[in-house]
Structures are given as C-alpha cells and as structure tokens.
Amino acid sequence: MSSPTPTNPAHAHFESFLQAQLCQDVLSSFQGLCQALDVEPGGGLSQYHKIKDQLNYWSAKSLWAKLDKRAGQPVYQQGRACTSTKCLVVGAGPCGLRAAVELALLGARVVLVEKRTKFSRHNVLHLWPFTIHDLRALGAKKFYGRFCTGTLDHISIRQLQLILLKVALLLGVEIHWGVTFSGLQPPPRKGSGWRAQLQPSPPALLANYEFDVLISAAGGKFVPEGFTVREMRGKLAIGITANFVNKRTMEETQVPEISGVARIYNQGFFQSLLKATGIDLENIVYYKDDTHYFVMTAKKQCLLRLGVLHQDWPDTDRLLGNANVVPEALQRFARAAADFATHGKLGKLEFAQDAHGRPDISAFDFTSMMRAESSARVQEKHGARLLLGLVGDCLVEPFWPLGTGVARGFLAAFDAAWMVKRWAEGTGPLEVLAERESLYQLLSQTSPENMHRNVAHYGLDPATRYPNLNLRAVTPNQVRDLYDLVAKDSVQKKSDKTDAGRLVTGSAGTQEELMRWCQEQTAGYPGVHVTDLASSWADGLALCALVHRLQPGLLEPSDVQGVGALEATAWALKVAEQELGITPVLSAQAVVAGSDPLGLIAYLSHFHSAFKDRPHSPGPASQGSLGTPSAVLFLGKLQRTLQRTRAQVEVENPNIEELPVPEPDVIPTPPSHHQEAGADDLCAICGEHLYILERLCADGHFFHRSCFRCHVCEATLWPSGYGQHPGDGHFYCLQHLPQPGHKEDGGDRGPESPELPAPSNDGMPSAPSAPAVPQEGTSPIPSPPQPTRQLIRLSSPERQWLSSLHLTPEPETEPPPKPPRSCSALARQALVGSFVGWGVPAQGPQGIRIPSSVLVAMEEEEGSAPSSEEEEEEEDVALDSEIEQTLLSLAKNSDTMNKYPTWRRTLLRRAREEEMKRFCKAQAAQRRLNEIEAALKELEAKGVKLELALRSQSSSPEQQKALWVEQLLQLVQKKNSLVAEEAELMITAKELHLEEKQWQLDQELRSYMNREETLKTAADRQAEDQVLRKLVDVVNERDALIRFQEECRLSELASGSGAQG
C-alpha cells in the first residue's frame, strides 16, 4: 500500500528527497526542502537540528531517531568536538562522503568539492558486516529500501554515493559540484590561512575559504603534493567489468549470484568455460543490484585470440587503450562469459548505459597498485598549520577480487576523522601523526575475522574497532619527516617491484662468513677438511657431513665409506632435496669436477640461510634436532607421492586397491638421466643456457621457469601440481595430465588429487593411502553460481568419525556381505556432520546431540532483532527445492524451524560469507603469486648480468669480484625467500582445492541420499560407497595439511622462545 501524497510542501520535498535516484534530483529536492523550511543549507549540525525541529513529519521520525542515536555517541561531544575546525574534503566518492559525515558529526565545518556532476558508476561493491551495520545506522534503508535485504551483502557505487550524499546534506555538509581541486595555495603572509586552487573559476566564497584540515579522497590518480607513493607490481592482470540491464523479471530474480569462483581451487569450471566458449579466465564474480554486474580477470592471449585486442603491446596503457580494444568483440566476450556462468538463465543480456550513453563495459589493468607510504602530513607556513590526510584509493588502491575497498576505505575515513578530533583537542602535530601512522599499519591487515566481533559497538574511537590496538607503534620521532615547515618536492613514485615490500633477512653475507659456517658444521667428521668453496667438496664427503649434521639419521658417515665421489655427491644432493627442502642448482658432476664454483657457492648459501640460526654444538648433532618444517619440502614429498601413485596405477589392475609402495629407508639411487656433464647449464626443454638464478630443478632436470609450463594450457607448473606423461615425456598440470587407462578427451577432468604425505617421526615420507577410485558418470565441475554452496568445516569429532570408518572387513574375520544401507547410513552421517557450524544441530554416532556454536549466534540474532519498520521488511530468500528439503528434514528433528524463524536467512548469509572468505583468500594468494613471479623475473635478469660479469671479467680486481659474488649471494637469498613464500602459498591453494573437492563430494552424497533406498540399484550403492571413500581420503589429506601447519606453528613458537632465552 503506497503512502498518501503529502499536502505540506516541506513534506513533499522530503519525500522527493528520500526517493530521488539521480544526483541532480537529490540536490534540487533538498534545496526545495530548505527553502520551504527557511533554512540555509550547508550550515553544519545547526542546520540539521533546524530541519529536524521544523519538519514534524511521520516519515522522517525514524530517520531522525537513527541520526540522533549516532550523533549522541559520547565521542562526538554533542557536536562540539571540532567546532573551531574548518575542513576541505576533495572527492565525493563513498570514502570522501563517509569522512565528511564523520567530520560533520564532530561539529566541524565541512566543505566538499567534486569534479563530477552526477553519479554514474554501476559497479557493485562487496560490504563487510560492519559496513552494512554502519550504513543501516545512518538510515540507508530509509533512502534505499532494498539495501542488503535477506542475504545481500553488496551495493552499487552509485546507490552508496546517493545514500551518503543525502546523509551529508542533512548534516550540513556544504557541497560544490563540477569543481576540480588542482593544488594548495599556501598562506601569503602571517595571519592568513591555507586555501585551495580550484578549476574552473569557483564562487568567491569558495575561492576565499580558508581551512586547516584537508582530506583527499580524489582517487588513486591524484595524491596531494608531499606524499610519497609506492608501487606494488605483479604479473599482467586484465580485469573486465560489465553491467547488464536488470529488468527485475521473475526469472532474473531466481538466478543465484556468484560470490566468487577462482581458478586456483576450481579449475574444472574454467576448463569447461574454455572448452565451450574459448574464453580463458582466472576468476569471475556476479552480483545482482541495479544492474547485473559481472567482473572477471581475463588472460591476455585469450583476448588476442578472440579479437578483443588488435595487437600485443608490452606497454599496458597501449595494450588496453581505446585504439587497441575492439568494443564489439569485448561485448561478445563479456556476454558469453556471463551467459555461461549463469547457465543462460538471465535471458537476452542487454548492456546498461554508462555516463556517456555507451555500453557499460570496460577493460582495465590492475597489474600495479599504488599505496601511499604515509597516511597524513602536516605543513606549516607563516605560522598557519595544515593537517593533510588521505582516504580511499589515494591512500591504498584496493585489489578488487578481495572486496576490501569500501570496508577499508570506511575504516580509513574513521581513522582520519579521529585524527582530526585529536588535532582539534590541541594534541601536538607529531603525536597526531604518530597515532595516525600507527593506525595505518593496521589497515592492510584488517579483515572481518581479526576485528572486534560486535559490530554494533563500532564507533569513531579506534579501540572499538581494532582488538590489538597500539597507538604508540610509531613514535613521534619516526614521523618528523612528515612535518613540513616549507613545501617539499612533488609526489614521488617509488618502485617496489623487487619484492612488494617484503623484507628479506638472513643474507649469506660474504664468502668468508659462509666458509666459517661450513667449517663449523662439518668439523669432527673423519676425512672432511673444508678449506675452500670448491675443491673441498669434490669427494662428496663434506656435503654428506653437512646433510648429516643438519638432519641426523638420514645418512650415516659409515654409509659413504668406499662409495665413489660421484655417487656420494648425488646421494647427498638427493637427500638434501627430499628431506631438507634444499633444491639443487647444479649437478653432481659439476660438484665433483669443480666446473661451476659459483653454482656451488649459491647452493651452499641456501643451506646457510635455512639453518644458520640453529645453535651449533661440537660433534654430530643429536637425533632430536630437527629442522623447521619447510613448505618446499612438504610440496616435494607431495609431488613424489603423486608420481608413485601414478606409477602404481599404471601397473596394477585399477579395480584392485592396494597401498603404494613407500619410499624405502635406504640409500637413494642417484639419478642417471641427468648426470651428463654440463646438464645443469642447459634447459631440458628449450636447450638454451641456464644461469644460476634461472635454474629450476624438477624431477632431476633443470629448466627456465618460463619453460616449465603445462604442455596444453601453458600454465606455470608448481610442485605437487604437475606430472610427466611417460608416453610423450611432456609435463602437464594436473588438470590436463593424461590419466592411465583413460582416453584423453580435451582435458575437462583432472586426475584425482594426490595423497598428502603424513609427517613421520624419522622425517622420511610415509606410505600414502590408496588412490581414489575413479567415479564413472559424474562430473567434477560444479555449478558455481549456487547460492547455497556449503563450505564443510570439520570439527575434531567429525574428523574422528570419518577417519575411524571401517570400509574393509577386519582381517581375522570372514568378509560378510555388505548391508545395502550401510553406506547410505555413513553418507547420511557425513552429510549431517557437514551442517555442524551452520546453525543446524547434528546427531552423533551414538545419538548424542552435538549443539552448534552458530545456534548461540542465532539466538542472539533473534533476541536482538531489528525493531525499526524498514529493517523488519527484510525479504526471505527462496532456497533451492532440493537443498530446502534436506535442510527442513534436519531442522524438524531439532525443532530449529519453530525456535529460530530467521534460520534460513542466517544459514544462507553464513554460507555466502564463507564462500566470499574462501574466494578472497584464493585471490590474495593468486595476487601474491603473481607478484612473486614478477619479482623472480627481475632477480633473474639481475643475476644474469652479475654472472656474466663474474665469468667474463677475468682481469677485474679481486675486490670487485668479491663484491659481485656478495651481490650474487644476496640475489640468491632473495630468490630462496621468494620460492619459500611461493611454496607456502601453494599449500594455501592446495587447502582451498581440498575444500572445494570436499564440497563437491558432499553434493554427490546429498544426491544419493535424496533417493529412495528401494529404488537404488547395485551400481548406485557402489557409486555411493566410492563417493564416501573419496570423502574419507579428502578428510585425511586435509588432516595432513593441518598437521603440517601445526608443526610450523609449534616450530615458530619454539624458535621464538629460544630467541628470547
């Protein structure tokens, strides 16, 4: 029922103000409201109180209640905290407007300038829970009734700007449109203040406006003078955004959104997309708002192949410039990707129009992102001080797949307003800057998980938002360079291409330091005398002694007595790689012949950097002195497990399950296929020369990193993620690795995930579990846009139940026939367990009721249900019929339906949050992997130059050569550090892949459980049993990952306590 048309002109203007959906309509209706009430706009909080007092209108009362509640917080001091402060805010983006609102609530005079004259950005922003609560507290649902209804957690930029614009206008912010800020105008003499240089000619009052605080929110392309910007660069990344018309038909409302699908853990979906459309993506997101909004990351070669780009250019600006992009091809590309992702259920997709009347689609480059090195500065001239602060993209350009932009932007706006409050209180400039920089250090680390849980208590005070707050993390002495008595140079761009800000510690230092360490580690071993870093290692004894010292029990000195130098060296190289995680950079022949002294120095420096912090004791180390768990080592064991599993599957009957043969605890046989002299100098694929920094060792061969790619898709190969086909000898990613006994069909199916090696006491890899049985007639490719995707969070009892399942008969008894319902019961138990943590109680194996922790949160949600009328109108979101039936059957047994009327919405919201969390984690890992790849390329280029100089300049002074060697060692150390971090990220990717696989298996179990038992065939029961076996295998693999991560954590704690002691 629509509201009656108000007869009071002020009431009519207020209703128009609430409903206005265009920037110009908002301004005109607000101007009419002020005129009707005889109130001067832009008068600060006094203007708000005048409007509230005079507008006695029922529709406005709920809005006044919300704004009064916010303004009544003690931190604002009834709007008198900053009454003598004059602020200029540049930019009417979401962050600029949010900062202006906070400054107005503090009582400051706030003037905002914006170069645009309308809001036209349809792109959709992901909202964290605290941003949703914050906007609701400002009356967002009053201005936009569909704001975050049900499980929605996003909003278009345009709608968010409209909401904040209306709030800012009501609170008395003075806004000027079509005005561009071009710089600061220092005070010409004592007694005058700071002004802004504005274009075009501003009104006289604005041109003469003097302010003592400047908040810049003008975007990443504009940073005020004096700030230094750091560039964080990764591998080429091309993003595509597309907005399609949302006709709001019934069919469109039924299409589920895609919170995020990433290649790093769901390769099957992207391979299907590639096979069906020829489109090659890294990720894709779909949100439904004013438009159907899609954003994706596309591969350059795919864009070139499909004619979206005319020509390949090394310069990204030229590559994605208007002259090089074919608009029609780009539109076909985005439409096909969107159609595939939504299964064609959106019907005919029509592009929305942008601000210029063109189809709202664009390709952009986010290869490099800018980050300001400081968040605030103070400038002083003629006694007039100016406080400058950054918020939004000009502070930190967000990485869009993480969905952190608006959340961290709001946090920065709060922190900037807190800084202004401290400034107004008379706190010293250096103290204000030190506090602001201490908060800035926390910004990049914030996530919904590591902030205070109760978002209702968030406020301007940082202590209400950050649990581990230390406002003295940065001292005033450290920010003296941020206090300018005179203007300094303009903005500088400082490249951070080498390692994106990651500090590298533990450099090998000089050759003398490395020599002393090697002598200490090999002292006391018979026949070992290290006098240099070349000939002393030729017999292999010194290398064997070093390995034994670092990891006793792997090989004994007596084992190498009588063994030739080549065999002993090869043995030591292999054991160091397989049990210490030290990958070789030269062959055994090169060590024995002494033909590559630089390679040997680089190899030994890896030992030094990895183990130099271990306390040294004379004589052989004890058995208990184990090294720190290494991600490189873990992935290496996983790769060898994959190879053994494949080798066994090839020789065994696929229908017979038998454990693969474990690695024997005997001397490894030295590899023979790469023991030719000089094999480490040539790439095994391209045959070109390999320099030390370029060498990548895999399966006993050396490669360029750029050559070691999948033979089908040319993706970079990483440990535990590739295999070599024995037929053609090529390397493949797991997605395209041909399966034994199966014909290749283009590569939609990937191999079964290799078993994860469980840690053992002796440090040797234990026997893996049996390989999973291939399942017939099923596809591993899930439908990504399902809104009810459930991320299975295994508790300890669940892991115990699953790992204790006896799928084979006891050896001392005759195998009885399997009951027809046994597997179904186990499957149902696994499904019920998967709902623990999602608001549904589960029944234990003995009928014990296992309460979920989420039920407590749901009780709190029910007890604190919103009371305002607009929040009570939230819509329920329809569930898929199959999932709803399963959920209802579980809920009826526990009376959840009657006790918690909002459980369905809560369940879906929690599922979406978990899905988004996993997507963000995957994208953060992928972004860092891209940055590492770019950094490694630069290190390789520098290493090649140094190595050429060392090998060619034989007449150079010895001091110069020593300097070059030291520089080379530093590059090697940086490379090892990056490779170790890369391995840790690959473990993260493996973890995400296992979560995705577990979800797929869970879906298959549900499909079998929903069938009547009497209708199941023998094949159905066999397939159900196979799915359950796979589920148990995945649980075991995840458990191995958890054990490894726990070992790393305990090792870090032990090393930390040792350092303190």
Side-chain angles (χ1 to χ4, degrees), residues 585-586 590 594-601 680-681 692 695 947 951:
V585 295
L586 74 170
S595 58
D596 191 3
L598 287 177
L600 180 59
I601 292 174
D680 47 333
D681 289 337
I692 293 173
R695 294 174 190 171
E947 190 173 346
R951 296 184 186 277

Side-chain angles (χ1 to χ4, degrees), residues 501-533:
R502 184 181 177 91
L503 297 177
V504 179
T505 59
S507 174
T510 63
Q511 294 184 69
E512 290 75 13
E513 181 184 349
L514 179 60
M515 170 75 75
R516 286 194 301 270
W517 183 82
C518 290
Q519 289 172 338
E520 291 174 357
Q521 298 300 318
T522 56
Y525 287 90
V528 178
H529 303 284
V530 175
T531 59
D532 56 29
L533 297 176

Side-chain angles (χ1 to χ4, degrees), residues 588-609:
Q589 281 84 359
V591 176
V592 174
S595 58
D596 191 3
L598 287 177
L600 180 59
I601 292 174
Y603 181 60
L604 294 175
S605 72
H606 196 176
F607 282 93
H608 176 261
S609 60

